[in-house]
Amino acid sequence: MSKKSRKNSSKSASGSPIAKKKAAKTRPLAQTKPAKTRRAPASKSSKTAAKAASHKAAPKRLKSSESLSQPATAAKLVLTEGRKAPAFRLPRDGGGVATLSDYAGRKLVLFFYPRADTPGCTREAIDFTRLADAFAQAGTAVLGISADPVKAQERFRDKHSLGIPLVSDETHEMLEAYGAWGEKSMYGRTFLGILRTTVLVGADGKVAKVWRNVRVDGHADDVLAAASSL
């Protein structure tokens, strides 16, 4: 076979469909981008859990009825019977001051009420006024204490013809010392405020009896009975 014939034969062989198919097989595979993996759809339970976590309620913070910055320490203090009554010096209705030393050698009732001229506090103050003479005969003085300013106490006194001194403790110092300031809750809201409390101090200056979470009806009579037997 001549050189020209061999060359043509070689050329036709390489251009044949069979040759092209063989060449395609030996050709290196083109690099392909890795296929993107799809995330499996989150199950209903996992979606619910994630939503619950993102909407988890923050812990409740105590709110003072007077100031949000008030420390929540008063509720920890517990006044016990037999200990010396904490001293106090506070303004009272009429422009004077009331101190523990004013009642040295006498029995003293201190009733702490949440707010002047509210229904429960009004009934309580009226009951103690009604029994004022009986307390005096038992050698016992009576003071009402709240965080209301003096002017509010005076309006309260005049409106209901109260015959007992009303003390103003706007700084809560006495309230805290006697354990009458602490955590309260109402309508699902937690806050700091005055806990309706009554303390009977003996003539020796020591705490004789403490009433906590006071129920107004009949309370003044119970306190009178305790003071009379002391």
Side-chain angles (χ1 to χ4, degrees):
M1 184 181 290
S2 67
K3 289 183 180 181
K4 187 175 181 180
S5 300
R6 283 198 300 268
K7 186 175 182 182
N8 291 336
S9 174
S10 169
K11 187 176 181 180
S12 61
S14 63
S16 68
I18 296 173
K20 286 182 179 181
K21 189 174 182 180
K22 288 181 179 180
K25 286 183 178 180
T26 58
R27 217 178 267 161
L29 292 173
Q31 291 185 354
T32 57
K33 291 183 180 179
K36 291 184 179 179
T37 56
R38 290 186 178 181
R39 288 185 182 177
S43 65
K44 188 174 181 180
S45 59
S46 62
K47 284 183 179 179
T48 305
K51 187 175 181 180
S54 64
H55 290 79
K56 188 176 181 182
K60 280 187 176 180
R61 296 177 63 184
L62 293 176
K63 294 181 181 178
S64 167
S65 62
E66 296 296 329
S67 170
L68 294 177
S69 61
Q70 291 289 340
T73 57
K76 298 178 182 178
L77 179 63
V78 177
L79 187 72
T80 56
E81 297 173 1
R83 65 165 286 188
K84 188 175 181 180
F88 59 86
R89 181 183 178 84
L90 291 169
R92 53 156 291 183
D93 63 312
V97 295
T99 69
L100 181 64
S101 59
D102 293 340
Y103 303 94
R106 298 174 63 192
K107 291 175 283 185
L108 176 64
V109 170
L110 304 169
F111 72 95
F112 300 89
Y113 56 95
R115 189 173 179 182
D117 207 21
T118 53
C121 299
T122 299
R123 294 202 317 273
E124 186 177 21
I126 288 174
D127 283 348
F128 276 109
T129 295
R130 172 176 56 82
L131 297 172
D133 290 341
F135 275 107
Q137 290 176 6
T140 307
V142 179
L143 294 178
I145 305 99
S146 75
D148 298 290
V150 171
K151 288 184 178 180
Q153 300 284 42
E154 291 175 343
R155 288 194 298 270
F156 182 38
R157 175 200 63 195
D158 295 343
K159 181 178 179 179
H160 301 285
S161 302
L162 303 178
I164 49 178
L166 301 178
V167 175
S168 174
D169 183 16
E170 293 186 81
T171 62
H172 311 153
E173 290 182 10
M174 183 183 182
L175 293 164
E176 292 181 10
Y178 280 83
W181 178 263
E183 183 178 341
K184 303 174 71 172
S185 61
M186 184 180 292
Y187 306 120
R189 186 171 65 93
T190 305
F191 58 98
L192 291 177
I194 297 175
L195 308 171
R196 196 182 298 278
T197 306
T198 299
V199 177
L200 172 62
V201 180
D204 58 359
K206 294 182 180 180
V207 175
K209 189 171 178 62
V210 181
W211 289 264
R212 303 191 186 282
N213 302 315
V214 168
R215 292 182 178 275
V216 172
D217 294 339
H219 175 61
D221 295 276
D222 291 342
V223 176
L224 176 60
S228 299
S229 64
L230 192 60

